Amino acid sequence: MAFVKDMLRMWAHSWKRFISIAMITLLGVAVLTGIYAGCRDAFRSTDRFFDAQGLHDVQVLSTAGLSNGDIAALRKVNGVAKVQAERSQEVTFDLDGRKSATMQEIGTNGIDQPYLQEGRMPKKAGEIAVTRKFIRDSGKRIGSRLTVTPESASSDTSDTNDTNGADGTNETNGTDEAPSFPTKLTIVGVVLDPQNLSNPDGYSAMTSFRSTATTDYTFFAPSDGVTGTLYTSATLLVKGAAAESTFDESYENTVKQVADRIDGTVKTDRQKARRQELLDAGNKKIADARAEADKKFADAQSQIDANRQQFNQQVDQIVSMQAGAAAAGAAANGANAGAAAAAGATTPQLDETTRETMRETIIAASPELTQAKQQLDQAQSQLNEQKASTEQTLKTKENELKTSIPQVRWYVQDRQSLGGFSALKSDLDSIQSLGNAFPIVFLLVAVMMSLTAMARMVEEDRSLIGTYVGLGYGRLAVASRYLLFALLACLIGGGLGLIAGFLGIPAFLLVVLQGMYVMPGLRLEYDWLYGSLGIALFVVGVLAATIYACVQEMRQTPAALMRPKAPRAGSRILLERIRPVWNRIGFLGKVTARNIFRFKSRLIMTVGGVAGCTALIVCGLAINDTVADLGIKQYRDIYQYDLMVVSDDSDASAMRTKVASDGRVTSSLDVRIESGDLTVAGSGDGDSGKAGSSGSESIQLVAVPEKHLSDLGEMVTLQPVSSGILGTSGVGKTGSLKLDDDGVIVAQSAASALGVKAGSKVRLTNGDGVQATAKVSAVNRNLIGSDVYVSETYYAKLFDSKDAKNTKNSKSSEDSEALTWNAMLAKLSGSDTSQTDYAESLEEDSSVMKAVSCAHMADSFKFDLMGAVVALIVALAGGLALVVLFTLANTNVSERVREMATLKVLGFFDREVHHYVNREMMILTVMGVILGLPLGRLVGGMLTMALNMPSLYFEVEVKPLSYVIAAVATMAFALLVQLFVNPVLDRIDPISSLKSVE
């Protein structure tokens, strides 16, 4: 009992050490669990939402649309739980300028169901549900009416199948019809699209231009009122996928197996079958056209023959009359009246030659008959020409049919191809990677500080330990005094850390996340396993340090422990050997130098602890500086143009005319911009058509006219880059990179994420979904967005573009049909504000689909999630620095109580004692800061390398001010600690302290 009481008394006396260990554990466990828990809560709530709404696991698209036969084939694939055929249509409407939307049929098989936020779901034809983004932008509300117009230029899928297609199942003889939706609409509900969780009311909505092919809004309509037998896509749910977390590798493997089966079994057969269906439908149309033409020609020939027969009868009647009259006259001149009577009673018989001669004479003598004969002959000639022309046309159609119908291509995509899904996953993965790295530093610092504190605690009780061992107490029992002390401190600190880690930090992160994404059903959850392991990790680390300290002392005999520890042998420090410097240092300065460098363990612990904390602060500020400068570097340094204007292909000419007529442009470059994908060639079959894999990135494909390749460098800074280490990269000379016809130039942001470099082979997908394997000629410095630049000739070579195939050798644009340049990069006159206003005014023009001002983008680019996490990390690092400095300062004082008492006896005032002790701590802090600043830059570079996010490359930047802030903050913490240490120095009693043995 006395042993226990003494142990409790010892614990109460060492409350400062207890608080230090508990605080370090609290901070470490909070960092270890907090960021993880926040991301996990977001992952789990999103996964539950996706399962509830039936977000598809696999989506199948086809360049020729999907038929009932395709849907039936997909249902037979092993591992497919559900298949839902979907119909959609692109429409336009007027909303402060022409806007586009996708009319999406609400599936009846429970896949991709919109989440109702307000109102009710549409049930009748003409009713729609819209997203909150549309409500915000349009000012409309539930009950408002809207009239839309189907896109005048239908998609290639619709065109092909409306003209040539037949129903894909061979079960009916009708032709496929593209989907058609009602045009007079009534808003009855506001919904959340499960494929896009972006928060339209959030503070972090990016306005950067990413895709020219994406419509502005999505309208959801019921099946009632939707016509058409052709499906735009098929969505699938995979068996067993719902039981896995959509963000785990196990889910990806489950879905990949089914996607591979579709690629390997169904895809090839259905592509061939669908094309054959289109060919059969085309041949049938030609055959029907021939039969209809033959019938029309036969009817026309019959009409001509009837008219000619009538004409011949009329002429023959005249011939007969004239022949009869001639015979009657000859008889009248005869000898007897009987012969005349006989001749008049019968029509004379004429031979064919005589008759034909008379016919021609009669026709020639009559203008009316001559005209009638000419009309009949002309009609016959025209009919013969039409028959020959029609037959030639049909034969040409038959010959051109196979080449006019392209090969049907299927594209099998998973959830990674959804922009909203991949953006959320990328954001959370990047934040989680930071949460996995920082706790390591906290753990190392916690072990170092625990070793320092517990070693001093055991050393203070050296004689007592010897006494207990001499009295027969086992070394384990004696050591348990300190092990239980450390364990209790870790458990209390860890418990508070779990509260902060599973409640405080996640709540903070989720507030930021909800400003960016809408996540229904979000709730905070506790992970018993991870939380217990988090505490156990710090408990093991701290107890290991405590055990080491106990073993170092208790390996001696009880008699040796009860005797005072021999003083450390005197030794010279290196500075003493530099006589010119040493001789000029004052007495107190020499004492300070000896105290600092003679006690190497204290030196290492203090400098190492302060350096680690400073490095964490610098690392956090480095990430903040890197993110803060992304917009400025991209939109003011890399992009030299001031304005990018994009239009539909049909409005490209009107768009250029509009911009030119405004007189704001000083120079411009016409380009073609398409949204597509870039996939590492080694990540799959070059013709697999599978997107959304781990080696895929959404890109903006920019085709440049052959005659203006050299002008690209005036609009975009072209600088070749090579991969570096620790977040750095080698940047070549500006202007040393040229676009040519031998390859594409890939943006650094995409190349870094996929590991692409100059000379690599990649698979490109253009805006029409056509894929081709391309060579990367260079990687260009680029931080935001994933631009891929390609020449007009190389574009034609890649995608077999008939439009641009001969452009390079043509003498003028009239010699061949060039690509449609649907975008313009332009430099503008005027201030940044006027350029921004001009871009906004252009968007109101009906010919402009998107106008982006680089000045506006540079000023408005934000990355709030990363900024919030960086602020959290800097705050925690600052707290750790404060605890570390407090622990080291108190340990330093407790080790030197006798020395402080001696100084007081020698006549030192309290203020002088403060200065004597604090000067050493400040020097050690400065040394730690000097070491921590470059260490922070090093760690920051390593962490930014791990932040591979779609369309972003973090070019590490640490501003001088950040170094100053980190150094000043650490020094401020050191000064703050002095306010706690100085009263301790004041309370030292010289008489009692001199009796103690150090």
Side-chain angles (χ1 to χ4, degrees):
M1 188 64 184
F3 180 80
V4 175
K5 287 183 179 180
D6 184 63
M7 179 177 65
L8 296 177
R9 189 181 299 111
M10 181 266 294
W11 288 5
H13 179 71
S14 303
W15 64 272
K16 293 180 181 178
R17 293 190 181 97
F18 188 91
I19 292 178
S20 297
I21 296 174
M23 286 299 298
I24 292 175
T25 306
L26 186 155
L27 292 173
V29 171
V31 173
L32 178 64
T33 59
I35 297 177
Y36 158 81
C39 295
R40 186 212 53 178
D41 291 341
F43 279 140
R44 287 188 175 182
S45 64
T46 306
D47 181 61
R48 288 193 299 268
F49 175 73
F50 286 159
D51 290 342
Q53 304 309 124
L55 182 65
H56 68 261
D57 299 313
V58 177
Q59 183 181 43
V60 178
L61 303 170
S62 172
T63 56
L66 297 172
S67 65
N68 290 326
D70 297 327
I71 304 301
L74 289 172
R75 287 195 175 99
K76 296 178 182 179
V77 176
N78 184 27
V80 173
K82 286 184 179 181
V83 178
Q84 179 173 284
E86 297 189 344
R87 294 178 290 184
S88 63
Q89 182 185 31
E90 292 189 5
V91 298
T92 59
F93 57 93
D94 183 47
L95 180 64
D96 296 330
R98 193 170 71 101
K99 297 292 183 180
S100 61
T102 298
M103 296 289 296
Q104 180 68 47
E105 180 186 14
I106 300 175
T108 58
N109 209 14
I111 302 178
D112 289 344
Q113 298 297 299
Y115 176 78
L116 184 63
Q117 294 178 304
E118 185 180 348
R120 63 175 178 84
M121 296 298 290
K123 297 179 180 179
K124 302 178 181 178
E127 295 182 343
I128 60 169
V130 299
T131 60
R132 191 166 298 280
K133 180 177 184 292
F134 175 78
I135 295 294
R136 184 199 64 181
D137 294 346
S138 66
K140 296 183 180 296
R141 59 183 183 271
I142 293 178
S144 298
R145 299 183 182 277
L146 181 69
T147 300
V148 299
T149 304
E151 285 282 4
S152 56
S154 301
S155 64
D156 293 339
T157 296
S158 300
D159 287 344
T160 301
N161 293 281
D162 286 343
T163 304
N164 300 322
D167 187 84
T169 61
N170 295 329
E171 295 176 359
T172 64
N173 295 324
T175 58
D176 286 329
E177 296 180 1
S180 178
F181 287 73
T183 57
K184 296 186 180 300
L185 309 174
T186 302
I187 301 173
V188 298
V190 179
V191 297
L192 173 65
D193 185 357
Q195 299 186 27
N196 184 9
L197 301 183
S198 298
N199 186 356
D201 301 320
Y203 50 79
S204 187
M206 286 189 180
T207 57
S208 58
F209 175 70
R210 295 188 178 208
S211 171
T212 64
T214 304
T215 54
D216 298 307
Y217 309 99
T218 300
F219 299 157
F220 295 90
S223 299
D224 186 21
V226 181
T227 61
T229 58
L230 191 68
Y231 305 112
T232 51
S233 66
T235 52
L236 291 73
L237 292 182
V238 175
K239 293 179 180 178
E244 307 288 347
S245 173
T246 185
F247 302 99
D248 289 346
E249 187 176 356
S250 58
Y251 166 82
E252 295 178 0
N253 293 335
T254 302
V255 173
K256 185 177 184 299
Q257 291 177 0
V258 175
D260 289 343
R261 291 191 193 108
I262 297 175
D263 274 333
T265 59
V266 179
K267 174 182 171 181
T268 303
D269 294 341
R270 290 308 306 172
Q271 285 179 163
K272 293 180 181 179
R274 181 60 178 156
R275 186 169 187 270
Q276 188 60 47
E277 290 169 3
L278 298 178
L279 290 172
D280 293 344
N283 287 325
K284 184 175 183 301
K285 276 183 170 288
I286 294 174
D288 292 343
R290 177 179 278 111
E292 184 178 357
D294 290 345
K295 182 177 183 302
K296 289 181 179 179
F297 291 147
D299 293 342
Q301 187 65 55
S302 298
Q303 183 65 36
I304 292 174
D305 292 342
N307 292 337
R308 189 176 294 279
Q309 182 179 6
Q310 183 179 358
F311 174 79
N312 289 335
Q313 289 176 354
Q314 183 179 357
V315 174
D316 288 342
Q317 184 177 2
I318 297 175
V319 169
S320 299
M321 291 175 60
Q322 290 184 355
N333 295 327
N336 56 68
T346 62
T347 302
Q349 298 295 324
L350 302 177
D351 59 84
E352 189 63 29
T353 302
T354 304
R355 180 177 291 276
E356 187 63 29
T357 300
M358 292 183 66
R359 285 168 56 87
E360 293 177 357
T361 302
I362 293 171
I363 293 173
S366 172
E368 292 82 2
L369 293 177
T370 301
Q371 183 178 4
K373 184 176 184 301
Q374 290 176 349
Q375 290 177 348
L376 288 173
D377 293 341
Q378 184 178 3
Q380 185 64 54
S381 176
Q382 290 177 350
L383 179 61
N384 293 338
E385 290 178 359
Q386 289 179 1
K387 290 173 66 175
S389 176
T390 300
E391 184 62 26
Q392 182 63 34
T393 300
L394 293 175
K395 287 182 178 180
T396 302
K397 290 288 185 182
E398 288 177 340
N399 295 332
E400 292 179 351
L401 182 61
K402 289 187 177 182
T403 57
S404 63
I405 297 180
Q407 295 293 333
V408 176
R409 292 181 180 270
W410 272 27
Y411 297 101
V412 184
Q413 301 176 334
D414 55 22
R415 290 182 181 179
Q416 292 286 350
S417 63
L418 301 177
F421 175 88
S422 59
L424 173 62
K425 184 176 186 297
S426 177
D427 285 346
L428 294 177
D429 284 342
S430 298
I431 301 308
Q432 198 167 35
S433 66
L434 293 179
N436 294 335
F438 276 96
I440 297 176
V441 181
F442 278 77
L443 178 61
L444 292 176
V445 173
V447 171
M448 290 173 59
M449 294 304 101
S450 300
L451 180 60
T452 300
M454 297 309 298
R456 178 57 191 166
M457 186 176 181
V458 173
E459 186 177 340
E460 287 178 352
D461 291 345
R462 174 186 175 88
S463 60
L464 184 60
I465 292 173
T467 302
Y468 277 126
V469 174
L471 291 174
Y473 287 89
R475 282 179 166 79
L476 180 60
V478 176
S480 65
R481 293 159 48 94
Y482 310 100
L483 293 175
L484 291 176
F485 176 85
L487 177 62
L488 184 60
C490 284
L491 292 178
I492 292 177
L496 296 175
L498 290 180
I499 294 176
F502 283 98
L503 294 178
I505 295 178
F508 169 75
L509 290 178
L510 294 179
V511 167
V512 180
L513 279 171
Q514 287 178 317
M516 302 173 64
Y517 301 100
V518 179
M519 291 179 284
L522 186 62
R523 63 174 182 262
L524 302 178
E525 300 181 32
Y526 179 72
D527 188 333
W528 288 98
L529 178 62
Y530 194 85
S532 301
L533 291 177
I535 293 182
L537 183 63
F538 280 84
V539 166
V540 170
V542 173
L543 287 184
T546 305
I547 292 173
Y548 176 80
C550 291
V551 169
Q552 288 295 102
E553 290 292 337
M554 294 183 184
R555 64 184 179 181
Q556 303 180 45
T557 62
L561 290 171
M562 286 187 285
R563 288 195 300 269
K565 190 175 183 180
R568 184 185 297 272
S571 61
R572 288 188 175 186
I573 63 175
L574 179 62
L575 190 60
E576 291 186 56
R577 304 181 188 278
I578 307 176
R579 307 305 293 182
V581 177
W582 184 256
N583 292 337
R584 286 172 171 77
I585 298 177
F587 171 75
L588 291 180
K590 292 178 180 179
V591 173
T592 300
R594 286 195 181 104
N595 288 337
I596 290 175
F597 293 105
R598 283 184 61 204
F599 301 97
K600 293 182 175 58
S601 61
R602 187 171 64 194
L603 171 65
I604 293 173
M605 292 296 179
T606 305
V607 173
V610 173
C613 297
T614 305
L616 286 178
I617 297 175
V618 173
C619 180
L621 295 176
I623 298 175
N624 184 68
D625 290 343
T626 300
V627 173
D629 282 350
L630 283 178
I632 296 175
K633 288 182 178 180
Q634 180 69 36
Y635 296 108
R636 295 195 184 274
D637 183 14
I638 297 176
Y639 286 165
Q640 297 296 309
Y641 60 84
D642 301 313
L643 177 71
M644 176 169 63
V645 189
V646 183
S647 70
D648 286 329
D649 287 357
S650 58
D651 297 327
S653 179
M655 176 269 291
R656 288 193 292 271
T657 302
K658 164 64 179 174
V659 174
S661 64
D662 291 337
R664 295 290 304 275
V665 175
T666 58
S667 62
S668 65
L669 173 64
D670 292 337
V671 296
R672 177 168 183 80
I673 293 181
E674 301 176 353
S675 61
D677 290 308
L678 183 147
T679 307
V680 178
S683 64
D685 181 15
D687 190 41
S688 67
K690 183 178 179 180
S693 63
S694 59
S696 180
E697 186 87 4
S698 297
I699 62 168
Q700 185 170 278
L701 188 62
V702 182
V704 182
E706 195 68 31
K707 298 179 181 179
H708 300 285
L709 294 180
S710 59
D711 296 338
L712 179 62
E714 298 179 4
M715 296 295 172
V716 179
T717 301
L718 299 178
Q719 288 180 277
V721 295
S722 56
S723 299
I725 60 173
L726 305 180
T728 63
S729 59
V731 182
K733 182 180 178 181
T734 302
S736 60
L737 183 59
K738 302 292 184 183
L739 180 63
D740 53 33
D741 300 330
D742 296 328
V744 299
I745 296 178
V746 179
Q748 184 180 13
S749 47
S752 175
L754 300 177
V756 173
K757 58 185 179 180
S760 299
K761 295 289 186 179
V762 297
R763 190 169 71 240
L764 292 177
T765 305
N766 69 356
D768 295 326
V770 181
Q771 295 184 338
T773 299
K775 175 186 175 183
V776 178
S777 61
V779 176
N780 183 50
R781 178 173 176 254
N782 197 85
L783 308 180
I784 302 175
S786 296
D787 297 332
V788 174
Y789 300 100
V790 57
S791 68
E792 182 181 3
T793 300
Y794 195 59
Y795 181 98
K797 178 181 177 182
L798 290 177
F799 303 110
D800 194 24
S801 171
K802 298 179 181 179
D803 295 340
K805 189 174 293 184
N806 301 316
T807 303
K808 183 176 181 180
N809 299 321
S810 64
K811 296 182 180 180
S812 68
S813 59
E814 298 176 357
D815 295 337
S816 64
E817 185 181 358
L819 289 173
T820 301
W821 308 114
N822 66 339
M824 174 189 292
L825 309 179
K827 293 184 178 180
L828 302 177
S829 59
S831 63
D832 290 349
T833 303
S834 64
Q835 292 176 9
T836 301
D837 294 340
Y838 179 60
E840 293 177 354
S841 66
L842 279 178
E843 286 200 324
E844 298 177 0
D845 190 88
S846 60
S847 64
V848 175
M849 184 169 67
K850 190 70 176 178
V852 178
S853 167
C854 285
H856 173 68
M857 294 304 301
D859 295 336
S860 62
F861 180 84
K862 293 181 180 179
F863 200 171
D864 297 274
L865 179 58
M866 187 66 70
V869 174
V870 166
L872 176 64
I873 290 173
V874 171
L876 292 173
L880 180 64
L882 185 62
V883 174
V884 166
L885 289 170
F886 179 79
T887 303
L888 293 172
N890 277 281
T891 302
N892 182 37
V893 171
S894 66
E895 289 177 343
R896 303 166 65 184
V897 172
R898 187 179 178 87
E899 180 184 352
M900 300 301 104
T902 302
L903 292 177
K904 288 190 175 186
V905 170
L906 291 176
F908 279 66
F909 294 104
D910 288 345
R911 186 173 181 181
E912 292 173 325
V913 175
H914 297 169
H915 180 68
Y916 176 81
V917 175
N918 293 333
R919 179 167 56 180
E920 294 179 16
M921 284 301 301
M922 292 302 293
I923 292 175
L924 291 172
T925 302
V926 170
M927 295 172 63
V929 169
I930 293 174
L931 180 62
L933 294 180
L935 181 63
R937 171 61 177 81
L938 184 70
V939 176
M942 297 173 64
L943 286 177
T944 51
M945 287 182 63
L947 297 178
N948 285 331
M949 303 181 68
S951 303
L952 286 177
Y953 176 79
F954 294 96
E955 192 175 69
V956 184
E957 170 101 5
V958 186
K959 297 180 180 178
L961 181 61
S962 295
Y963 288 117
V964 173
I965 291 175
V968 170
T970 306
M971 298 304 295
F973 291 141
L975 294 175
L976 181 61
V977 167
Q978 292 180 14
L979 299 179
F980 296 99
V981 174
N982 289 341
V984 177
L985 295 174
D986 295 339
R987 288 193 295 268
I988 294 177
D989 182 16
I991 297 176
S992 61
S993 299
L994 287 172
K995 294 178 182 179
S996 65
V997 178
E998 293 185 355

